[in-house]
Amino acid sequence: MSRKKKIFYSLLAILIVIQFFRPERNSGNAASPNDIAHYTTVSPELKNIMAVSCNDCHSDHTDYPWYTNIQPVGWWLNNHVKDGKEEINFSQFNSYRVKRKMRKFHEIAEMIEEKEMPLNTYLWIHKDAKLTDSQAKLLMDWANDNEKMLELQYPDSVSKK
């Protein structure tokens, strides 16, 4: 057997074997008792925008496309979701301390304004997740309003951001 065939069959065998090692899925409830909607008003329009553009990576529930069943793609996406939830988890938002809530509202507005969210890698496949200017403005205004509300309610936390 030629060297190229040995390499090909070895890679094929590895690809087949790794299919049996699947990451744990993020399949909890998107809405929990600590959900952001229990903390602040989230209009139906805003809730829909977040469901389409944010929640797959920033909640306790991800809607997985078919290609996540193929490794190593599934591992890569699982890592993406894990990182997103570490940054902000809308399903657990109400469990955050006041300073963290303030910081997260600020970061939401900033990331959207700088067009860093949703991630370009997410938008490659999820074209409908791209925010229109009006959707981005709605999200930024909502985040800024919530940050200001917290600053008014907890003025001692402002200087400690």
Side-chain angles (χ1 to χ4, degrees), residues 11-102:
L11 290 174
L12 183 62
I14 290 169
L15 188 61
I16 290 169
V17 168
I18 67 172
Q19 300 312 306
F20 295 100
F21 298 95
R22 298 181 182 271
E24 185 177 334
R25 291 198 173 238
N26 184 42
S27 55
N29 291 325
S32 74
N34 285 321
D35 190 81
I36 196 165
H38 297 296
Y39 174 73
T40 186
T41 302
V42 181
S43 70
E45 182 181 9
L46 195 58
K47 194 172 192 171
N48 183 53
I49 293 168
M50 292 169 74
V52 172
S53 300
C54 310
N55 287 352
D56 275 347
C57 295
H58 297 288
S59 78
D60 285 341
H61 181 79
T62 301
D63 290 325
Y64 289 95
W66 65 269
Y67 52 84
T68 57
N69 293 314
I70 301 169
Q71 305 314 321
V73 174
W75 297 337
W76 180 73
L77 288 174
N78 187 60
N79 194 47
H80 232 44
V81 170
K82 183 180 170 200
D83 289 347
K85 285 175 61 175
E86 285 176 5
E87 281 300 317
I88 186 169
N89 184 342
F90 293 123
S91 299
Q92 299 302 320
F93 190 85
N94 206 24
S95 67
Y96 296 171
R97 292 183 178 186
V98 172
K99 281 185 357 185
R100 186 170 187 206
K101 288 176 184 175
M102 292 168 101

Side-chain angles (χ1 to χ4, degrees), residues 1-14:
M1 188 181 303
S2 74
R3 180 174 162 84
K4 286 183 181 180
K5 280 188 178 181
K6 284 181 183 177
I7 292 172
F8 172 77
Y9 286 125
S10 295
L11 290 174
L12 183 62
I14 290 169

Side-chain angles (χ1 to χ4, degrees), residues 97-110 143-152 154-161:
R97 292 183 178 186
V98 172
K99 281 185 357 185
R100 186 170 187 206
K101 288 176 184 175
M102 292 168 101
R103 189 174 66 249
K104 291 304 167 186
F105 279 127
H106 180 80
E107 289 173 1
I108 289 168
E110 185 176 66
N144 287 327
D145 289 349
N146 276 284
E147 182 185 13
K148 286 175 188 160
M149 179 194 67
L150 283 170
E151 288 172 355
L152 291 172
Y154 302 95
D156 293 341
S157 295
V158 174
S159 62
K160 299 175 188 174
K161 270 202 254 185

